[in-house]
Amino acid sequence: MLRWITILITLSVSGGALADIYKYVDSAGRTYYTNIKPRPASSGLYRRIMETKPHYMRPAPAMAGYRNYFGQNKHKFRDLINEAAYRHQVDPKLVHAVIQTESAYNAGAVSSAGAVGLMQLMPDTARRYGVDDRRDPLQNVDGGTHYLRDLIEMFSPNLELAVAAYNAGEGAVIKYNYSIPPYPETQNYVKQVLAAYNRSSL
């Protein structure tokens, strides 16, 4: 499947600006990256996938730097992810695809909704799976993978519904008669995770 990736990066020097990276996937599966904070009208479309401290008198990172950061973190956490996948009997390629989509392998990622870490665990999910420190990669990935496994079993054999439930919650999938909820974010999320899963090579 042909998948277009459009990169929108503006290099600028700003005394106090955060060099964050935001990502948006449209309904056609095109991915957009930008380091410019989205305006309020479009803030719900973009997800912050990398948060950095202010860098004074230093330009925001170029896309090459982002790719390098992404690759290093993927390698750094590969064994941890694969071990959790084996422990909970989940295809490691799927766990990688979820992490890539959720946080781009940024263990310090925090969403506007309060989700934290590599697998973007919410407080309730963390408590449910015994995660004391959501920022700890080992606990975060173990709890998130365990949750993913439970969703796969709950919605088997429909992997799309399991992925949708990871984003929107199992209650939302059940509410909409065991279908992907009609939320643009969730529908794009499912497309993105499955696209990453299908092209993944560990």
Side-chain angles (χ1 to χ4, degrees):
M1 180 177 68
L2 184 62
R3 187 169 181 269
W4 296 95
I5 298 180
T6 302
I7 299 172
L8 304 175
I9 291 292
T10 299
L11 301 182
S12 61
V13 176
S14 177
L18 289 177
D20 295 342
I21 301 294
Y22 299 86
K23 180 171 71 172
Y24 164 59
V25 182
D26 67 17
S27 59
R30 290 182 292 261
T31 302
Y32 301 84
Y33 294 94
T34 181
N35 67 339
I36 300 174
K37 186 175 182 180
R39 295 179 179 178
S42 61
S43 61
L45 302 176
Y46 284 84
R47 299 181 66 222
R48 185 169 61 190
I49 60 171
M50 185 195 301
E51 181 180 10
T52 61
K53 301 293 184 182
H55 291 281
Y56 298 97
M57 302 303 293
R58 188 179 300 175
M63 200 60 201
Y66 168 70
R67 289 198 188 100
N68 185 51
Y69 173 91
F70 178 92
Q72 287 178 344
N73 275 5
K74 181 176 182 179
H75 178 75
K76 175 182 177 181
F77 296 120
R78 178 177 284 120
D79 288 345
L80 182 155
I81 293 167
N82 292 346
E83 288 168 6
Y86 177 80
R87 186 160 53 249
H88 296 292
Q89 295 299 291
V90 178
D91 187 343
K93 293 197 300 182
L94 180 61
V95 181
H96 276 277
V98 169
I99 290 174
Q100 177 178 324
T101 304
E102 288 285 354
S103 67
Y105 295 92
N106 178 8
V110 180
S111 77
S112 58
V116 170
L118 289 168
M119 297 194 75
Q120 291 290 276
L121 297 184
M122 294 293 285
D124 287 346
T125 305
R127 283 191 292 270
R128 180 175 168 187
Y129 289 94
V131 176
D132 297 319
D133 183 359
R134 291 183 292 156
R135 294 181 183 272
D136 174 39
L138 181 62
Q139 292 188 47
N140 188 287
V141 173
D142 185 76
T145 304
H146 192 171
Y147 180 41
L148 186 59
R149 174 61 188 178
D150 285 350
L151 294 173
I152 292 170
E153 291 182 346
M154 181 180 296
F155 298 108
S156 179
N158 194 325
L159 185 59
E160 288 188 349
L161 295 186
V163 173
Y166 194 91
N167 175 260
E170 58 265 42
V173 173
I174 294 170
K175 174 184 176 181
Y176 288 99
N177 298 315
Y178 288 83
S179 64
I180 299 174
Y183 312 144
E185 177 189 340
T186 301
Q187 293 177 347
N188 288 334
Y189 178 86
V190 172
K191 292 176 183 177
Q192 191 173 0
V193 169
L194 294 183
Y197 175 55
N198 290 327
R199 69 171 180 267
S200 176
S201 57
L202 301 180

